[in-house]
Amino acid sequence: MSGATCQNCTAPIAPGVTVCAACGASVVEPTRHEWMSQYAWCGYPLYHIAFGSDADGRTVSARGIVAIGQRASGGIAIGIIATGVVAIGLVSIGIFSVGIVAIGLGAACGVNAVAPFALGVVAFGWEAYGALTFGKQFLVSAAATR
């Protein structure tokens, strides 16, 4: 890390040092792992897999027809935060989404699901399946049986 600075106090850091001499913060060298298809369709790679952080400490995002990473955006997106046509992640937003928090324009499945067709522990939608449902039609719900 030649010419590197501390992310905490911006003091210069010597190569091979793991603790900043000025503020005592630990120095973490950024790691980035990325794989991308050489073929593209409409300007997006067929697959893009990206994990880690860049030199500024920001999380690397994966963007492609099939995107896999901490943050993923694409046709089929798989990640901690996923957005796309089909989104699978802890927080997912898409036409069809699956996740802990799933928001879908068509269907969503997750612990908390919001979509016209929602399946989840807490489900909001036109047709809602789950333990606690909110919407026009309560198909299966603990709240509807009271």
Side-chain angles (χ1 to χ4, degrees):
M1 290 181 58
S2 62
T5 60
C6 176
Q7 292 179 351
N8 192 30
C9 68
T10 66
I13 302 292
V17 174
T18 59
V19 177
C20 177
C23 68
S26 63
V27 178
V28 178
E29 192 167 329
T31 58
R32 180 178 185 157
H33 304 286
E34 190 169 9
W35 301 272
M36 188 182 307
S37 171
Q38 63 182 355
Y39 302 107
W41 185 62
C42 294
Y44 291 99
L46 295 180
Y47 67 87
H48 187 195
I49 302 168
F51 291 98
S53 59
D54 60 7
D56 296 330
R58 290 177 286 185
T59 303
V60 178
S61 297
R63 292 184 177 92
I65 304 302
V66 176
I68 301 171
Q70 294 157 302
R71 293 182 185 162
S73 179
I76 299 172
I78 302 169
I80 296 172
I81 299 173
T83 58
V85 177
V86 177
I88 302 168
L90 294 178
V91 177
S92 59
I93 301 171
I95 295 175
F96 303 102
S97 11
V98 177
I100 302 295
V101 176
I103 301 170
L105 295 175
C109 177
V111 175
N112 300 312
V114 178
F117 180 81
L119 170 65
V121 176
V122 178
F124 297 89
W126 180 262
E127 291 188 17
Y129 295 87
L132 184 60
T133 59
F134 302 94
K136 179 70 174 168
Q137 299 178 5
F138 306 108
L139 299 174
V140 177
S141 175
T145 59
R146 292 187 219 160

